[in-house]
Amino acid sequence: MTPLRLGFIPLIDCAVLAVAEARGYFRRHGLAVELSREASWATIRDKLAVGALDGAQMLAGMPLAAAAGIDPLAVPTLTAFSLDLNGNAITVSHALWERMQAADAAATAQRPVTAAALKQVIAADRGAGRAPLRFAMVYPFATHNYELRYWLAAAGIDPDRDVQLSVVPPPRMVDALARGAIDGFCVGEPWSSLAVQRALGCIVIAKVELWHNSPEKVFAVPRAFAEREPRRHQALLEALLEAAIWTDTHREEVAQLLADPRYVGAPAALLAGSLTGRVVLRPGEPPVDLPDFHVFHRYAANFPWISHGVWLLQQMRRWGQIDDRLDVSAIAREVYRPDLYRAAAQAVGVRAPAVDLKREGEHADPWRLASDDGDIVMGSDLFFDGTVFDPTA
């Protein structure tokens, strides 16, 4: 068979793909696969569109945006596999962090840190006639965009009027911060940790604090490929599922693997911080414990929840990216395919949730979710501002 070419971005949450290649899970399921390291999410979108890639690590919002008709260069894609939960962080320049501390020491001392101190800095800048602060995220339809906006808006900051938002590819975030081109960003690891290591920035809030165990990247394929080659698609899902199980329980080995220039190419010691949940938030400070900073399999992390798709689409609606009249539930069901996941999970002996949707923000502690052959242990799903999300409302 012609090898399948799968794209990825050099981020820690490409780990499941890297493990599936390096440890032979693809071969075990009869697949010839070539991984292709790409420079940006737009490149992945474009290469999928022209057939240069057969599948890819993708931002969870990308296939949804294509289905909603707001990413015109994209092709119809579907996902039956979530690559991970959590993994991002909001980071500001060292200079901005010092200004936030000076503006409201109490607000910056708490965890999770809200944007209350930032709001005071913005007000002071406006009064002095200064230009708005500049923040970057990785793609208009990325979780990073919606998380950054959520964090800002919760403190009364209008992301479209009070700050300037721009798109910067993940590997270029730290350099943009170093040049002073931006004042902060939301990105996946290891780029926030690198900014801290280089004493350029401070991590303000991690995604796991913003919304506990929330969706991040997905593995997606063009719908035409899934329909034309269902057996190879299922074999991919099975290989990735087995790789995710190994990834979640071998963090130090994953750090060593991702240090290879073929994958992320950053020092293993830097990668190990967020992988093991020992994260340095400020230059010169000791690490703090964030044990679920990356989740690759536990808590039903690989299940493509329809409710996660609905949340993302509702964020697109909130920020004016899609028409209010669109049926977000129908779009989510078109793109997210739990039926295909369940078939792969059954083939490799993994429990799958019996439902497609779940409420978020109700569980502060581990809880149990029913499956057809026993309960699945789930993690906390709290939002930092106490919100409860009902996907059926």
Side-chain angles (χ1 to χ4, degrees):
M1 282 188 174
T2 303
L4 295 172
R5 192 168 177 83
L6 309 179
F8 72 95
I9 297 291
L11 295 158
I12 284 180
D13 51 25
C14 77
V16 173
L17 285 164
V19 166
E21 178 187 57
R23 295 191 60 83
Y25 289 105
F26 288 135
R27 292 192 302 274
R28 185 178 304 173
H29 287 271
L31 296 166
V33 169
E34 296 177 359
L35 294 188
S36 177
R37 176 173 162 149
E38 305 296 345
S40 69
W41 297 113
T43 302
I44 281 183
R45 174 201 63 195
D46 296 346
K47 285 191 173 183
L48 278 172
V50 300
L53 293 174
D54 299 296
Q57 167 201 22
M58 294 186 77
L59 299 158
M62 291 174 72
L64 294 165
I70 56 174
D71 200 350
L73 297 179
V75 296
T77 43
L78 62 83
T79 178
F81 193 89
S82 169
L83 287 167
D84 62 328
L85 306 175
N86 308 325
N88 299 338
I90 296 173
T91 298
V92 299
S93 71
H94 202 278
L96 179 53
W97 176 247
E98 289 181 337
R99 293 188 66 199
M100 290 169 63
Q101 286 182 306
D104 194 334
T108 55
Q110 66 182 359
R111 293 219 64 84
V113 176
T114 70
L118 180 62
K119 183 178 182 180
Q120 296 184 48
V121 171
I122 290 171
D125 284 351
R126 184 183 296 114
R130 299 190 187 101
L133 294 168
R134 299 153 299 179
F135 284 83
M137 38 74 184
V138 304
Y139 198 73
F141 313 120
T143 53
H144 314 66
N145 184 24
Y146 307 127
E147 289 156 10
L148 180 58
R149 287 172 174 272
Y150 193 156
W151 182 70
L152 294 169
I157 300 169
D158 187 330
D160 292 315
R161 298 181 61 184
D162 297 333
V163 297
Q164 291 182 350
L165 297 181
S166 61
V167 171
V168 175
R172 300 178 187 170
M173 285 288 191
V174 178
D175 287 340
L177 196 68
R179 296 195 314 272
I182 56 176
D183 300 291
F185 55 70
C186 184
V187 73
E189 278 291 275
W191 306 114
S192 287
S193 289
L194 182 61
V196 174
Q197 184 186 72
R198 292 175 57 182
L200 295 169
C202 300
I203 295 175
V204 181
I205 185 171
K207 179 184 174 92
V208 68
E209 300 175 292
L210 188 76
W211 174 10
H212 297 189
N213 299 306
S214 53
E216 191 39 44
K217 307 298 187 302
V218 298
F219 174 71
V221 298
R223 189 183 308 152
F225 170 82
E227 294 172 351
R228 184 179 67 250
E229 301 199 50
R231 295 179 67 179
R232 277 217 283 183
H233 184 219
Q234 177 161 333
L236 281 170
L237 300 177
E238 293 171 12
L240 291 173
L241 188 47
E242 291 184 346
I245 295 169
W246 190 92
T247 302
D248 225 12
T249 52
H250 294 79
R251 301 307 182 95
E252 296 285 357
E253 294 97 320
V254 171
Q256 293 292 333
L257 173 63
L258 294 181
D260 189 311
R262 292 178 300 164
Y263 303 122
V264 178
L270 178 71
L271 299 170
S274 61
L275 277 166
T276 59
R278 296 284 292 161
V279 184
V280 178
L281 302 178
R282 327 268 188 257
E285 294 186 6
V288 301
D289 288 320
L290 291 172
D292 285 337
F293 199 105
H294 295 281
V295 178
F296 298 104
H297 176 67
R298 62 188 186 279
Y299 311 152
N302 306 125
F303 189 74
W305 288 100
I306 300 295
S307 43
H308 285 169
V310 171
W311 186 87
L312 288 164
L313 286 160
Q314 288 192 1
Q315 295 304 301
M316 295 178 192
R317 175 186 287 166
R318 177 184 184 184
W319 301 111
Q321 292 177 318
I322 61 173
D323 194 297
D324 288 347
R325 295 168 293 182
L326 286 179
D327 186 339
V328 295
S329 179
I331 294 171
R333 290 184 180 280
E334 176 185 340
V335 173
Y336 279 54
R337 294 293 301 274
D339 57 320
L340 299 179
Y341 174 88
R342 289 191 180 100
Q346 183 178 23
V348 298
V350 170
R351 292 174 179 171
V355 294
D356 296 343
L357 302 94
K358 60 187 176 80
R359 287 165 62 93
E360 305 280 351
E362 295 183 326
H363 302 97
D365 300 304
W367 56 288
R368 291 186 174 273
L369 176 74
S371 76
D372 291 337
D373 56 353
D375 289 350
I376 301 170
V377 176
M378 303 291 287
S380 166
D381 56 19
L382 295 181
F383 291 87
F384 84 110
D385 61 351
T387 297
V388 174
F389 170 64
D390 182 352
T392 64

